[in-house]
Amino acid sequence: MSDSDTQRPQDLDAWRRRVEAELAGSPFDKLRTRLVEGLVVEPLYASLAASSQRAHDALSVSATVLAAAPDEGPEADPLLGAAPSKDLTRHLAGETIAIDLRGIDLAGAHALDELAAALLAVAQWLEVAADAGHEPRAIAAKLVVRVAVGPDLLWQIAKLRALRLLVRRLLELVAPGGPAAEPQLHAFASTRAFTAHDPWTNLLRNTASVFAAIVGGADRVTPLPFDAPLSVQSADAARLAENTVRLALDEAHLAKVQDPAAGAFALEAWTDALCAAAWERFQGYHAQGGLTGAGADALAASIGQTHGVREARVRKRQDGLIGTSLYPNLDEVLPSVPAHDAASAARDAAPFDRLRDAAAALARAPRVLLVNLGPVAEHLARATWVKGLVEAGGLRAIDHAAPTDLTTLGAALTAHDAHLAIICAADVHFGTQVAAVASALTNAGAHALVAGRPGAHEAALREAGARGFVHVGLDVVDLLTDLLRREGAAL
């Protein structure tokens, strides 16, 4: 919208009309964001469309949702911590009982499955306690729910607030009128979100996670050192991680307010939406036997599906990772080499980490010649985008202006020791100059690609020698894997 226009819409309808005018025919839905949870984030929350009380009411179901525990006692999913036991004496005498959600976060679970899994695990312990003749809240007071918190700040705040409300509601149904003791929430910075390359960007991820954890109401917060994905962690990284929490608590005083997010329209709406959807999901899994029956299989299948969606978005750079899939730095000097363990293999950045490792292992550094056509204003944006794309796989991009004499392209390839080339030009040149350049590059022995969608020119460009096209929406990992294999990488 124009900065010079100081008039502010007075109501939601006026705001909607103004935005539609600014969109100039583009659909209003483009301003909405659909999350992997299936929930939709609106562009504006102008009122408390749903209140915490309404979310509370939505969870008003009979306590019989909790079935009696099996005779032998349930066995928890290993990802969620210790399994409940009929002999609760040692648990009641101990300090804490951990329900650990970090494993399913690393497996790719979205917020709804994290919340549902937490409820399933808490319900198991409460069921066993009730079946053994113990007060459920006595066990609840011993529980600590360990939850991973990612760097998507506002959504993670809403997730933690929803987790608190959901567990509290579960206790109200199982042990109404009892003492107010409830499980503690222990938030950890999400391992899945950290990157091995350009690890210093993890300082920002860690800060966002810590902020979200405290504002979201966690009782305990554990940060991660920025070099956690590397094979060796430094004392400086550990100190910075600890100081991040200290600054948030002692200088920013984030924990001085009981619920800093209360009354924020968007956060209230997201919290309520998560509560309602996660409770319904919990009931569905529980009805299938929970963590001891088909409910565990349904949960695992859902997590697997979500992991696939997440990975596809990362591979297409729809969910960009700064320093890894976006704005990579090929000249960085890492404090130590990337770790090769189960956690590293499960991180979002893993597909690009494998590419970077494969490129680094080559005796000859792989290079891609970017052949730029026309004035700088025509090709700069496309060439810059392509440079970031190929360097995300460890291939060095080399800019080269298309010469008038195309027969010299062979010499340019030789001078830069490049076997790969990508032509960057405005779409208007696809039917003429691009085809000629593709032909010259192919004749010189290069594997030539064209940046952009060819449309009706695809057949002619392929006939001229173009071997493929680089554009938004393609599987970047597949493309880079193919290019690195052509360079001799073991992938």
Side-chain angles (χ1 to χ4, degrees), residues 71-91:
D71 290 340
E72 299 301 319
E75 296 180 0
D77 186 314
L79 289 175
L80 299 178
S85 167
K86 285 287 187 183
D87 181 13
L88 297 180
T89 305
R90 60 186 179 89
H91 295 305

Side-chain angles (χ1 to χ4, degrees), residues 346-415:
R347 290 190 177 95
D348 288 341
F352 289 94
D353 287 342
R354 287 192 291 269
L355 295 172
R356 293 283 291 273
D357 291 344
L362 292 171
R364 168 189 160 276
R367 298 176 177 85
V368 179
L369 192 69
L370 304 187
V371 183
N372 303 321
L373 271 69
V376 172
E378 287 189 357
H379 68 249
L380 180 61
R382 184 161 280 174
T384 301
W385 182 82
V386 171
K387 173 182 171 66
L389 184 148
V390 299
E391 293 193 345
L395 297 103
R396 176 80 62 181
I398 301 169
D399 284 302
H400 183 77
T404 303
D405 182 1
L406 297 181
T407 61
T408 64
L409 281 175
L413 290 166
T414 301

Side-chain angles (χ1 to χ4, degrees), residues 105 114 147-160 185-195 201-226 241 244-245 248-249 254 348:
D105 172 71
E114 286 184 87
V147 57
V149 179
D152 45 339
L153 183 66
L154 299 180
W155 188 246
Q156 295 299 309
I157 292 173
K159 181 181 81 174
L160 288 177
L185 302 185
H186 187 172
F188 292 76
S190 174
T191 301
R192 179 173 56 82
F194 272 39
T195 64
T201 59
N202 293 328
L203 289 166
L204 301 177
R205 297 183 180 97
N206 189 63
T207 302
S209 297
V210 166
F211 186 96
I214 297 173
V215 173
D219 299 293
R220 307 176 189 175
V221 180
T222 299
L224 276 178
F226 72 83
T244 300
V245 180
L249 294 176
L254 294 184
D348 288 341

